[in-house]
Amino acid sequence: MTRTTSTVFLTALLAVGAGAAGCDPGGAASGASPSASASVSRQQLLALGQEWVQCIRAHGLTRMPDAQLSQEGYLEFPPSGGYEWKRDLSNHPQAIDACKSIEDRYPPNAFRPKEKFSAEDLRKLADYAKCMREHGLPEFPDPNAAGEFDFSGTPLENGVPAQKKNTAEQACRHIWDGDIRIKNGGGGGKK
């Protein structure tokens, strides 16, 4: 590495670190806007994301997709070829630990904020779960506080028979027609 390259790299790292230093104790950035952080350039954020990807790949998740920036400037890792990298990553805590120092350098608003559900939305999602149980999926769980249906430890974790899933969804669509977030679930892959 040349001295100029080292200086540019060090400057980029310092800029990323300075962006993370602008957090209050609650993790929100001072004067945060609804878009990605202005404390680092888009190129710096993308380089940091790709550094994390390379670390994750080096620790066993060789299919981890490349980092990308959304149109709004948020860092994202879009799935590729049906590969569920978040599920795979949850099974590799050693990779998470090994790459934590890179994650810690992300600016506070590097990622799109998660949609927050109102109490009314969560009530509707609970009614949706009840309906799904009544229409052929008795193991369908209630939503968690984030509005996700966590299939961990249920028979649905390994997949939901497609016909049962489609029948129940059709019967319950009148209760909730928004996105359904499944955590640790195999989807409708079983026949």
Side-chain angles (χ1 to χ4, degrees):
M1 193 180 289
T2 67
R3 185 175 186 160
T4 304
T5 305
S6 296
T7 304
V8 169
F9 184 71
L10 182 58
T11 302
L13 287 177
L14 290 173
V16 170
C23 292
D24 68 14
S30 310
S33 67
S35 64
S37 176
S39 63
V40 297
S41 73
R42 292 174 61 95
Q43 293 81 11
Q44 290 167 327
L45 183 58
L46 185 58
L48 187 59
Q50 199 55 31
E51 181 182 347
W52 182 79
V53 167
Q54 293 304 321
C55 180
I56 291 294
R57 287 176 181 164
H59 288 90
L61 278 82
T62 57
R63 293 179 59 197
M64 180 69 197
D66 287 333
Q68 294 181 12
L69 292 177
S70 69
Q71 287 184 330
E72 299 88 7
Y74 292 112
L75 195 56
E76 57 188 18
F77 308 93
S80 176
Y83 174 61
E84 296 180 29
W85 68 267
K86 289 182 182 179
R87 184 175 188 178
D88 198 10
L89 184 61
S90 69
N91 294 324
H92 291 84
Q94 75 285 359
I96 296 169
D97 292 342
C99 303
K100 178 135 177 49
S101 65
I102 299 168
E103 277 187 57
D104 290 344
R105 296 186 348 242
Y106 287 140
N109 53 349
F111 299 97
R112 180 182 313 281
K114 287 189 175 187
E115 179 181 351
K116 300 218 188 277
F117 288 96
S118 68
E120 177 65 14
D121 289 340
L122 291 174
R123 187 196 60 73
K124 286 180 182 179
L125 287 169
D127 289 347
Y128 179 86
K130 181 180 177 190
C131 180
M132 294 291 279
R133 289 190 292 269
E134 292 170 350
H135 287 90
L137 296 173
E139 305 87 2
F140 202 90
D142 282 328
N144 62 23
E148 302 167 324
F149 297 99
D150 189 352
F151 285 6
S152 299
T154 74
L156 304 177
E157 183 174 23
N158 296 317
V160 179
Q163 184 163 349
K164 279 186 168 186
K165 177 180 178 249
N166 292 340
T167 300
E169 283 177 346
Q170 188 172 10
C172 302
R173 188 169 292 135
H174 70 282
I175 297 170
W176 182 261
D177 63 354
D179 288 338
I180 300 296
R181 296 180 186 169
I182 304 296
K183 182 176 177 185
N184 299 317
K190 284 188 173 179
K191 297 269 181 203

